[in-house]
Amino acid sequence: MLRQYELVDRVLGYDPKADEALINRAYVYAMKQHGSQKRASGDPYFSHPIEVAGILTDLKLDTATIVTALLHDTIEDTGSTMDELTKLFGPQVAGLVDGVTKLTRIELTSERSKQAENFRKFLLAMSNDIRVLLVKLADRLHNMRTLHFISSAEKRQRIALETMEIYAPLAGRMGIQEIREELEDLAFKELNPEAREALIKRLNEFREASGDSVKKIAKEIQTKLEEGGLACEVIGREKRPYSMWRKMERRAISLEQLSDIFGFRVIVNEVPDCYSAVGILHTNWPMVPTRFKDYISTPKANGYRSIHTTIIGPQKKRAEVQIRTRKMHEVAEYGIAAHWIYKEGGAGADTSGEFAATFHWLRQLIEMLEHGASPEEFLEHTKLQMYSDQVFCFTPNGLLITLPRGATPIDFAYAVHTDIGDTCVGCKINGRHMPLRTRLENGDEVEIIRSQAQRPSPAWEAFVATGKARSAIRRSIRATKQAEFSRLGRQIVKSAFEAAGKEASDTILERALGPLRKPDLDELLAAVGDGTLSAQQVLLTVYPAEQPKNGRKRPIKGNGKDERDGAVRVTGRAAGLAVRFAPDMFPLPGERIVGIMMPGEGITIYPIDAPALEEFDGDTTRWIDATWDIDPEHPQTFPARLRVTAKNEVGSLGHIATLIADYGSNISNLSLAQRDMDFYDIQLDLEVRDLKHLTRIMSALNGLSCVNTVIRPRR
C-alpha cells in the first residue's frame, strides 16, 4: 500500500503545482472514515482507495481526481455526507465523488436491471465531468486485481462478466488501452481459466523457441530506420493472453498463425516521419497485403492515431509495426487522460479538436440515455456502440462518418442526424441504388434518400449495428404505436358509447381519467386501443348507472360490403402497429372480417369464417367489428394462399404460373407440399386485389387440364 508521502511525491513528480495540502487532508480523512473496515482479502479497506489513487497517478491526473479517488467510497461505506465533503474539499471534489459513488440504494427486480440502472446513472454523472469515468475505471481495475479474494464463485463470475461487457470497452473507447487490456485479461482469467492457462502454456513454449528474437528484430528495425535518417525509438512488446485469444477466435486460427504475438512500436518526432518510416520499412521488407491501416489520416473514434503495417521482417518473421509520434503514443497509452485539460485543470474539454470524436461518442450515449425506454435497453444499445471495429464512409459532401463494422445505410443516416434516419426511404452507395440492409465497406460514399412521409420500420431493427440507430428506431416505433393505439381506442370508445346512446366527447371522457388513473386522454384512449382497458370500463366509469351489456353475440358471416358504424376500418395489407392481420389467415377485401382484441397488442384481424376464432367464443367482449376501407382510386394488393393439386407431368407448373400471370397476379412464394407418381400438391402465395380477383384465378385454374383441385386453406 502506498504511504502518504509516496502518493504525494508521485503527484508532485508530474505536477509540481499540485495542492499537496489537499491530498494530505483527503488521505487522513479517508483513513479515519474507513477506520477498521476490512476487505475480502483481510487488508484494511483503506488500502483500496489508496491503490486506486496510485493507478491514477500512472495516468498523471490532476489533484482533484487523485483526491476523488481517495474519497470515492466514503459516502457509500462510511458516515460521510455530501455537505461534509463539500465543506472540507470543495464542490468540485464532492461532485466527482458523488458521480463515482456506487448506487446501492437502487432497489430493482434483478441483478441485470440493477447493473443497467447503475451504468445509466454513472454515465449521467460522467457526462458532466469525464474524470468520473477515469476514477471508476481505476476503481474497477483494482477490484479486478483482488477479485480472487472473493469466496463466492457466482459473484466473481458476475463481476468479471460486467467488467468484460462494460468497463473494458469503455476504457477502450476512451483510448486507455493499457487499462482496457488488463481489465480484459483479468476478466478472462475468471471467465475462462482453462483456455487462458492453455494459451499461456503454448505462449511460453513459443517464447522459448523464439529466444531473444524480439530484441533482435527491434534492434534491426531501429538500425534500418536510423540508416534512413530517422531519429526514433523502437519498442518490442508481447500481447496479453485475452487479446490473442480474441483474435484467434475471430479468425479461427492457431497461435502459430498470429502475426502479432510480438508487436513493435516505432516512435518518431513528427507526423511526416511516420510516413517516412513506412517507406523505409516497406523498402527493406515485404509488407503483408491487406494489413496496412492509416489511423493518422482517419483517426479512431476514441482519438487514437497511428499507422499499422505488417511486414515479413528480420529473421523472416511476420511482425506488426505501429508507427506514431510521441504525442500520439501518449494518447494511445493514456487516451483521454493524456489531454492537457486534466493536467492544467481547465474546463470545456469538449471544445478540444483533438478529442472531438471521443466527446461526440459520449454525447451520442447521453442522447440515447435521455430517450431510452428502460435501463436494460440503454445497456444493450451502449454495448453495441462499444463493441465494434470501424468502417469509414463519406457523405456526398465529403463528411467522414465513422461506423462499426457491419453497419448499414440506416446506421449511416442516424449517425448524420436522427431526422435523416427517421425519414430514410432508400440510399445510393457509390452512386448505385442499393438495399437499406447492405453492409457498408471502408471508403463507401453514401447518399440517403428521404421522404417526410416515411417513418422507421420495425424491420430495420434486425439489421442495424449501432446503438443510436436501434434506440431511435424503437423510440419512433413506440411513438407511432402510441398514436395508433390512441386513434384505435377513440374508434372503439365511440362505438361503445353510441351503442349505449351516450355522448363520447373529450370533456365527458376526461371524467374517467382520475378513477382509471390515467394522466391524460391520449393515455386513456391508447389503453383502450391496446386492449389493457375495455371501452365498457370507460363507459361504466363515466356513466355508473349504465347497465353493462351482456350476451353479446358473435358476428355472423356477411358479404363484406357493410358500412357498420363504429367498426374498425382496415385500410391496407400492412394494417399498422395497432391493427394487424392474423398469421396465415389472408383475409381479403370483399369478405367479412372481425377483430379480436389482444391485451397489450391491439386488434388482430381474422376472416369471419376462420376456424381459429372458435377459441374466442367464450369471451365475446374481445370481439370488435371491423370493415374494409379501400380506396378504389389507389388499388392495393393483398396476400392470398392457394393449395393446388396438379398432375405430375411435364409443363404443369409452367401452365399454372402463366395463367396466374395472365390474370394480373404475382406468385410471391411457392413450395412443394407433397409429391407422388401421379400428382403433386403445391402451396402458392399470391398477390391479389380482392376476393373477386382470387375467385377468378381459382376458377381459371380449375379449368386447366393439368389441375385436379384448387382450394383456399383455412386454419
Side-chain angles (χ1 to χ4, degrees):
M1 183 176 73
L2 282 175
R3 297 181 183 274
Q4 185 174 343
Y5 73 88
E6 291 174 330
L7 178 65
V8 173
D9 285 347
R10 280 198 187 188
V11 178
L12 292 176
Y14 62 80
D15 184 8
K17 297 179 181 179
D19 191 337
E20 183 177 350
L22 186 65
I23 297 173
N24 284 324
R25 194 159 69 248
Y27 191 105
V28 173
Y29 176 85
M31 180 178 286
K32 288 181 178 179
Q33 290 301 105
H34 287 292
S36 60
Q37 293 174 352
K38 299 286 186 181
R39 304 196 81 218
S41 62
D43 294 334
Y45 190 91
F46 180 63
S47 65
H48 170 64
I50 285 291
E51 293 300 326
V52 172
I55 291 169
L56 293 173
T57 62
D58 293 335
L59 298 177
K60 299 179 172 57
L61 289 169
D62 65 336
T63 301
T65 312
I66 302 301
V67 170
T68 298
L70 293 170
L71 304 174
H72 77 272
D73 277 338
T74 53
I75 291 180
E76 177 193 357
D77 295 331
T78 76
S80 299
T81 63
M82 278 292 294
D83 290 341
E84 185 178 3
L85 293 183
T86 303
K87 182 178 179 181
L88 292 173
F89 304 101
Q92 182 187 31
V93 169
L96 290 171
V97 172
D98 186 49
V100 179
T101 298
K102 298 172 185 175
L103 303 171
T104 53
R105 298 185 184 92
I106 298 175
E107 295 180 0
L108 296 170
T109 57
S110 68
E111 281 296 334
R112 184 70 174 175
S113 58
K114 180 178 178 181
Q115 177 200 62
E117 181 65 21
N118 282 346
F119 187 49
R120 180 186 178 109
K121 299 243 176 171
F122 167 51
L123 277 178
L124 270 176
M126 188 182 82
S127 68
N128 294 323
D129 196 320
I130 205 72
R131 290 173 294 184
V132 171
L133 171 62
L134 300 175
V135 177
K136 190 66 177 178
L137 289 176
D139 173 54
R140 178 51 62 112
L141 178 56
H142 184 251
N143 283 334
M144 287 301 296
R145 288 173 177 175
T146 56
L147 184 66
H148 58 282
F149 289 113
I150 295 176
S151 58
S152 169
E154 182 181 352
K155 186 175 181 180
R156 291 198 308 270
Q157 286 272 319
R158 178 179 59 79
I159 293 172
L161 185 62
E162 184 180 68
T163 299
M164 188 71 84
E165 290 188 342
I166 295 176
Y167 291 99
L170 268 175
R173 286 309 295 259
M174 289 305 169
I176 314 173
Q177 296 303 324
E178 190 65 28
I179 288 182
R180 173 186 180 169
E181 289 179 359
E182 187 174 355
L183 286 173
E184 286 177 336
D185 201 45
L186 290 168
F188 182 46
K189 183 178 181 180
E190 178 61 39
L191 296 172
N192 200 341
E194 296 85 1
R196 186 176 183 273
E197 285 301 318
L199 185 60
I200 289 175
K201 182 179 178 182
R202 295 286 305 280
L203 191 58
N204 289 336
E205 295 171 356
F206 189 82
R207 193 185 297 119
E208 290 175 7
S210 300
D212 60 351
S213 60
V214 175
K215 291 181 181 178
K216 291 180 180 178
I217 293 172
K219 182 176 179 58
E220 190 167 344
I221 290 175
Q222 183 156 351
T223 299
K224 290 293 184 183
L225 291 172
E226 288 175 349
E227 288 175 356
L230 278 182
C232 64
E233 178 185 0
V234 179
I235 305 170
R237 63 181 180 87
E238 181 181 292
K239 280 199 168 185
R240 290 183 180 267
Y242 177 73
S243 179
M244 288 184 279
W245 169 262
R246 180 173 55 189
K247 186 164 288 189
M248 289 163 61
E249 287 284 288
R250 186 172 67 245
R251 297 184 184 175
I253 59 177
S254 67
L255 180 66
E256 290 76 13
Q257 292 173 292
L258 278 181
S259 64
D260 51 358
I261 293 176
F262 302 109
F264 300 88
R265 290 171 180 163
V266 175
I267 301 172
V268 296
N269 295 323
E270 304 293 339
V271 172
D273 295 341
C274 295
Y275 293 95
S276 297
V278 172
I280 294 171
L281 290 175
H282 288 183
T283 300
N284 285 277
W285 296 286
M287 69 165 288
V288 177
T290 74
R291 298 289 295 162
F292 180 85
K293 296 176 182 177
D294 185 352
Y295 293 120
I296 294 179
S297 62
T298 52
K300 289 188 177 183
N302 58 14
Y304 175 87
R305 301 172 72 205
S306 189
I307 293 176
H308 292 195
T309 186
T310 300
I311 59 174
I312 308 298
Q315 304 180 24
K316 300 298 181 182
K317 293 183 180 292
R318 286 165 64 107
E320 181 189 72
V321 184
Q322 299 172 356
I323 306 164
R324 58 180 71 145
T325 66
R326 191 157 298 281
K327 184 177 181 182
M328 292 175 192
H329 182 62
E330 284 188 2
V331 173
E333 292 296 297
Y334 304 122
I336 203 165
H339 192 226
W340 65 267
I341 191 68
Y342 299 111
K343 297 178 181 178
E344 302 292 332
D350 59 344
T351 63
S352 166
E354 185 176 356
F355 282 86
T358 301
F359 282 96
H360 175 67
W361 170 77
L362 181 58
R363 282 191 292 269
Q364 284 188 345
L365 285 188
I366 301 307
E367 180 184 341
M368 287 189 291
L369 185 150
E370 291 172 348
H371 298 290
S374 67
E376 293 88 342
E377 184 178 314
F378 173 69
L379 183 62
E380 176 193 349
H381 299 158
T382 306
K383 284 162 62 178
L384 281 174
Q385 289 286 93
M386 293 189 296
Y387 281 114
S388 57
D389 292 328
Q390 292 176 308
V391 173
F392 300 100
C393 300
F394 298 88
T395 67
N397 295 328
L399 176 65
L400 176 66
I401 302 295
T402 304
L403 296 166
R405 191 162 300 280
T408 65
I410 297 294
D411 297 295
F412 181 94
Y414 278 109
V416 176
H417 198 280
T418 302
D419 287 344
I420 294 177
D422 285 345
T423 55
C424 173
V425 293
C427 71
K428 290 182 180 180
I429 301 176
N430 302 322
R432 295 178 57 201
H433 283 281
M434 299 292 286
L436 289 175
R437 62 173 60 248
T438 304
R439 290 192 172 192
L440 298 175
E441 301 291 340
N442 273 321
D444 282 346
E445 180 186 286
V446 184
E447 179 184 350
I448 300 299
I449 302 168
R450 302 173 63 192
S451 169
Q452 292 302 320
Q454 170 72 345
R455 291 294 178 267
S457 165
W460 289 358
E461 237 193 294
F463 55 79
V464 294
T466 59
K468 181 179 182 183
R470 182 160 294 181
S471 175
I473 291 166
R474 288 183 178 176
R475 184 167 67 247
S476 177
I477 290 171
R478 280 195 297 270
T480 302
K481 186 180 289 187
Q482 182 77 359
E484 285 193 23
F485 280 142
S486 182
R487 288 193 296 270
L488 176 60
R490 185 174 290 279
Q491 289 185 53
I492 296 171
V493 167
K494 179 182 177 183
S495 176
F497 274 60
E498 287 178 351
K502 302 293 184 181
E503 184 183 357
S505 66
D506 288 356
T507 303
I508 290 175
L509 292 177
E510 285 173 354
R511 300 176 191 171
L513 296 180
L516 295 178
R517 299 182 180 181
K518 298 297 178 185
D520 53 49
L521 196 54
D522 281 341
E523 287 284 345
L524 176 71
L525 295 174
V528 175
D530 72 11
T532 55
L533 185 68
S534 73
Q536 285 296 315
Q537 286 176 274
V538 178
L539 177 63
L540 294 176
T541 301
V542 175
Y543 297 106
E546 182 71 18
Q547 292 297 315
K549 298 287 188 286
N550 294 319
R552 179 175 179 176
K553 296 181 180 179
R554 168 177 172 165
I556 61 172
K557 184 176 180 180
N559 60 14
K561 295 181 178 179
D562 56 304
E563 298 292 337
R564 289 162 280 145
D565 292 335
V568 172
R569 311 188 79 80
V570 180
T571 57
R573 63 185 299 177
L577 297 170
V579 180
R580 68 191 72 189
F581 292 124
D584 299 327
M585 291 296 168
F586 307 107
L588 295 172
E591 65 182 329
R592 179 75 184 277
I593 53 176
V594 67
I596 298 294
M597 181 61 73
M598 310 297 288
E601 299 178 8
I603 293 176
T604 301
I605 300 297
Y606 290 84
I608 196 64
D609 59 350
L613 288 172
E614 294 177 2
E615 66 177 283
F616 304 108
D617 279 343
D619 188 4
T620 54
T621 60
R622 294 173 62 180
W623 292 70
I624 303 292
D625 281 339
T627 186
W628 296 100
D629 186 14
I630 306 301
D631 184 357
E633 300 297 324
H634 299 89
Q636 304 176 60
T637 61
F638 294 80
R641 176 167 291 173
L642 295 179
R643 188 74 169 259
V644 178
T645 301
K647 292 180 181 179
N648 188 2
E649 60 185 28
V650 176
S652 291
L653 188 57
H655 292 313
I656 293 170
T658 300
L659 184 144
I660 290 171
D662 289 343
Y663 274 76
S665 179
N666 183 48
I667 299 175
S668 58
N669 191 33
L670 182 150
S671 61
L672 189 63
Q674 185 176 344
R675 180 173 182 171
D676 55 34
M677 291 291 294
D678 299 318
F679 296 95
Y680 55 85
D681 291 339
I682 314 166
Q683 182 170 284
L684 296 170
D685 289 346
L686 311 178
E687 294 177 358
V688 298
R689 293 184 295 277
D690 50 31
L691 183 61
K692 286 183 178 179
H693 188 192
L694 180 64
T695 302
R696 288 197 298 270
I697 293 173
M698 292 177 68
S699 298
L701 286 172
N702 273 316
L704 290 177
S705 61
C706 62
V707 171
N708 187 31
T709 59
V710 180
I711 61 171
R712 186 184 178 199
R714 292 290 205 195
R715 278 203 314 134

